[in-house]
Amino acid sequence: MRNRQRTLAGYLFVSPQLIGLLVFSLLPVVYALVLSFMNWDGFGARTFVGFENFANQFNNPDFWIAMKNTVYYMIFVIPSSIFLSLFLAVGLNKVRGKELYRVFYFMPVVTSSVSIGVIWMWILNGDFGVLNLLLSHIGINGPDWLTDTHWVIPSIAMLSIWWGLGNNMVIFLAGLQGISRSYYEAAEIDGASRFKQFLNITLPLLSPTTFFIAIMSVIGSFQVFDQAFVMTNGGPAKASYTLVYHIYQQGFIDFKMGQSAASAMILFVIILIFTLIQFKMSKRWVHYGE
């Protein structure tokens, strides 16, 4: 009887989260899947069209522009964010007052994306922006960051790296603090340098943390939208037109809900494939300390 009561209490405690997951995540995914096989403008009757929406997406030049821009963005963001956050975490792991540093670095993470976008529009302004002003003091003539097709994706990537740095750093710090000191003491007795300790102890034992951050970074990079929407509106000349922006454009500007849902399903499958590949690769390099 007592076990049943505990089980019931457990279900009651997790039920709000389960209901939220069902209502706001699982049901919308199922609805989007159904809608991807329909022709619907958001108001009238729905017409079943089979795989026509998917075929239209693969034949749509805008879809491939969005795909190229998203992959280009990922190349900038993922390696840089992982390296910089790990570098900061290692640097802050042993210093005094690291809790205060964590607060400072984490503050952008909890700041509104719109507010951050507006601030960075001012920083990256080609005429009177702070970044170009600083560059001019060292003799560099900065570009028009957000209106130059060659620089707009790197500019958005730079913002995203700064924005997510605190979150990844805190996760790495938690991983570092979970590594037993005994490993380093044994390495010091054997005469291993700090650099060798980092390569042979820290990195291998941080691999589960790195794996988690890599997966979340891939998912987040594929879903980039706020920055492009607020700062560039997908421009200039669709140079910052990303996959999620394409989904938004199809659904809420062109009112092609079926094609928008088909794009979302394609994005879902791409993220799933990348995640499964990373899980497969992790079996070879993830090591867990006892």
Side-chain angles (χ1 to χ4, degrees), residues 168-242:
N168 292 341
M169 184 202 69
V170 167
I171 296 172
F172 270 127
L173 268 174
L176 286 169
Q177 292 169 15
I179 299 175
S180 174
R181 177 63 190 165
S182 61
Y183 294 109
Y184 297 102
E185 291 173 352
E188 289 172 359
I189 292 172
D190 291 337
S193 65
R194 289 285 183 89
F195 182 69
K196 286 186 176 181
Q197 291 178 32
F198 176 76
L199 288 180
N200 298 306
I201 298 174
T202 306
L203 282 182
L205 294 180
L206 271 183
S207 55
T209 307
T210 307
F211 171 59
F212 172 77
I213 291 176
I215 288 179
M216 300 307 296
S217 298
V218 168
I219 294 173
S221 296
F222 269 116
Q223 295 178 336
V224 58
F225 171 74
D226 297 11
Q227 301 92 312
F229 180 76
V230 173
M231 299 171 68
T232 64
N233 204 26
K238 293 191 175 179
S240 60
Y241 188 80
T242 62

Side-chain angles (χ1 to χ4, degrees), residues 3 5 21 23 78 87 89 113 131 143 160 202 220 227 237 273 287:
N3 288 336
Q5 290 178 344
L21 179 66
V23 174
I78 296 175
F87 178 80
S113 59
L131 182 56
S160 300
T202 306
Q227 301 92 312
I273 291 171
H287 304 277

Side-chain angles (χ1 to χ4, degrees), residues 21-52:
L21 179 66
L22 178 65
V23 174
F24 298 108
S25 296
L26 296 181
L27 287 181
V29 169
V30 173
Y31 183 72
L33 177 61
V34 174
L35 193 60
S36 66
F37 297 103
M38 303 287 181
N39 183 18
W40 186 44
D41 63 1
F43 300 99
R46 300 176 182 87
T47 306
F48 181 77
V49 294
F51 288 94
E52 182 180 329

Side-chain angles (χ1 to χ4, degrees), residues 266-284:
I266 294 171
L267 176 59
F268 173 79
V269 171
I270 291 172
I271 292 175
L272 179 62
I273 291 171
F274 268 85
T275 304
L276 291 176
I277 290 173
Q278 286 178 301
F279 266 105
K280 189 70 175 179
M281 293 174 62
S282 71
K283 294 179 181 179
R284 300 183 178 181

